[in-house]
Amino acid sequence: MKMEKSTQQLNLYPPETRFIIKMKNFSTGDVKILNDINLSEYEKSLKYLKYLNANGYNVFLSACKAGGVYILLDDIKKPAIDKLFTDGFEPFYFLQTSPDNFQAIIKLSDSPLDKDIQTFASKQLAETYNADPNSADIGHFFRLAGFTNRKQKYSKNGLFPFVKLYAGTGNTCTKGESYVERILTGIDNGFIELLPKKHITTPPAKLGERKTLVSGCGAYIEKVYKSGNKDGDLSALDFKAARYALRKGFKPDDVINAIKLFSPKLESRKSGHIDDYISRTVKNALYNAI
């Protein structure tokens, strides 16, 4: 017996995952919820969900207690999906929700994270890949495969497009853990402030994984400068050195000290505001160290 597409989608999550199913009729505004159900309970509700979908309701999913951090990139295009794979943010899976639009579900981490950190990561990736910023929060629902998208603008001769499921890696994305680590480093070093007057410390498990300040950071930065064009845009070269070093996992304070030591003509270029300039450069590099 062929498995339902929506069941295939839910089967991608760990067995202990609980789900919230939301059904919404955009014409009437009516909303119905199936709360805190498992896969077996979902399968028993399929006929009911299909009935609602046929009568104008859109069907959405949220996964709870899924064993890790999953984020949604909403309303992105196929080239952005391809770039996610190229950049190391391979989708856990992705959905085609209408002829030109996709949703990507990305598993960033195997370990739980503070909700504010998850939201920050979602918003940063949404900006990078031109996703809908209004959907970049961990509580946002996404589509269920096998049901139709009942938005009227997609209706053709009374028919609506089915939401299609596409396989991703089914695992944590390649750069997920290092991306989270850069965010945690930025918080600890004051480069990233999530909420006013709120301090979020790095989980103890993460602290032990940090690369400490070693001569390797200075040597790496010096190598970037030696290979760069010293007659070109030196500010761009500073940014390149910072981004490359952060990608390697060096701490921002170490990168700041190394740039201060090796950046060409720094005293004459940035006289009077060297510390502020380097701090801003490293902060910008943290946001772009993908």
Side-chain angles (χ1 to χ4, degrees), residues 48-115:
Y48 172 62
L49 295 174
K50 289 181 178 180
Y51 168 79
L52 290 176
N53 188 224
N55 285 275
Y57 285 78
N58 292 271
V59 185
F60 301 96
L61 168 72
S62 179
C64 310
K65 304 173 186 176
V69 176
Y70 301 82
I71 65 170
L72 165 69
L73 295 183
D74 190 22
D75 278 346
I76 60 176
K77 306 301 181 184
K78 185 56 168 61
I81 295 284
D82 296 336
K83 195 170 190 308
L84 285 168
F85 280 99
T86 302
D87 290 348
F89 291 98
E90 308 93 340
F92 189 69
Y93 63 84
F94 62 100
L95 304 161
Q96 184 173 5
T97 59
S98 63
D100 297 317
N101 291 323
F102 292 80
Q103 291 180 329
I105 312 303
I106 299 172
K107 186 177 183 183
L108 272 187
S109 173
D110 292 321
S111 304
L113 287 172
D114 184 283
K115 291 181 179 180

Side-chain angles (χ1 to χ4, degrees), residues 234-235 260 263-274 277:
L234 294 179
S235 292
K260 190 180 296 186
S263 178
K265 306 174 185 176
L266 187 61
E267 288 287 347
S268 59
R269 289 190 293 123
K270 306 296 177 182
S271 179
H273 61 102
I274 289 176
Y277 163 73

Side-chain angles (χ1 to χ4, degrees), residues 48-280:
Y48 172 62
L49 295 174
K50 289 181 178 180
Y51 168 79
L52 290 176
N53 188 224
N55 285 275
Y57 285 78
N58 292 271
V59 185
F60 301 96
L61 168 72
S62 179
C64 310
K65 304 173 186 176
V69 176
Y70 301 82
I71 65 170
L72 165 69
L73 295 183
D74 190 22
D75 278 346
I76 60 176
K77 306 301 181 184
K78 185 56 168 61
I81 295 284
D82 296 336
K83 195 170 190 308
L84 285 168
F85 280 99
T86 302
D87 290 348
F89 291 98
E90 308 93 340
F92 189 69
Y93 63 84
F94 62 100
L95 304 161
Q96 184 173 5
T97 59
S98 63
D100 297 317
N101 291 323
F102 292 80
Q103 291 180 329
I105 312 303
I106 299 172
K107 186 177 183 183
L108 272 187
S109 173
D110 292 321
S111 304
L113 287 172
D114 184 283
K115 291 181 179 180
D116 292 328
I117 297 176
Q118 293 182 53
T119 298
F120 178 85
S122 296
K123 289 184 179 297
Q124 289 299 307
L125 290 176
E127 181 178 346
T128 300
Y129 294 98
N130 295 316
D132 181 2
N134 296 319
S135 301
D137 63 79
I138 60 171
H140 203 84
F141 284 78
F142 42 92
R143 295 273 176 178
L144 253 178
F147 294 95
T148 55
N149 183 336
R150 298 289 304 204
K151 287 186 177 179
Q152 285 299 321
K153 65 181 179 180
Y154 298 127
S155 175
K156 286 189 176 181
N157 301 318
L159 299 176
F160 296 85
F162 281 91
V163 177
K164 299 176 182 178
L165 173 66
Y166 291 93
T169 63
N171 290 302
T172 303
C173 64
T174 303
K175 288 190 176 178
E177 296 288 357
S178 62
Y179 185 67
V180 169
E181 177 67 12
R182 286 197 297 273
I183 293 173
L184 294 172
T185 300
I187 293 169
D188 286 349
N189 288 276
F191 290 101
I192 297 174
E193 185 177 354
L194 301 180
L195 290 173
K197 299 180 181 179
K198 181 172 182 179
H199 177 66
I200 297 177
T201 57
T202 303
K206 291 288 184 183
L207 284 171
E209 300 170 4
R210 288 277 170 83
K211 286 190 177 181
T212 57
L213 174 57
V214 291
S215 59
C217 181
Y220 186 81
I221 290 282
E222 184 181 20
K223 184 178 179 180
V224 174
Y225 282 121
K226 284 183 176 179
S227 63
N229 181 8
K230 296 182 179 60
D231 296 321
D233 186 342
L234 294 179
S235 292
L237 188 57
D238 290 333
F239 178 81
K240 177 181 177 181
R243 186 173 63 174
Y244 280 15
L246 291 167
R247 281 179 173 177
K248 285 291 184 180
F250 293 111
K251 295 172 65 176
D253 283 348
D254 305 343
V255 177
I256 287 172
N257 291 330
I259 290 176
K260 190 180 296 186
L261 185 62
F262 294 107
S263 178
K265 306 174 185 176
L266 187 61
E267 288 287 347
S268 59
R269 289 190 293 123
K270 306 296 177 182
S271 179
H273 61 102
I274 289 176
D275 289 340
D276 178 65
Y277 163 73
I278 298 177
S279 178
R280 284 187 287 106

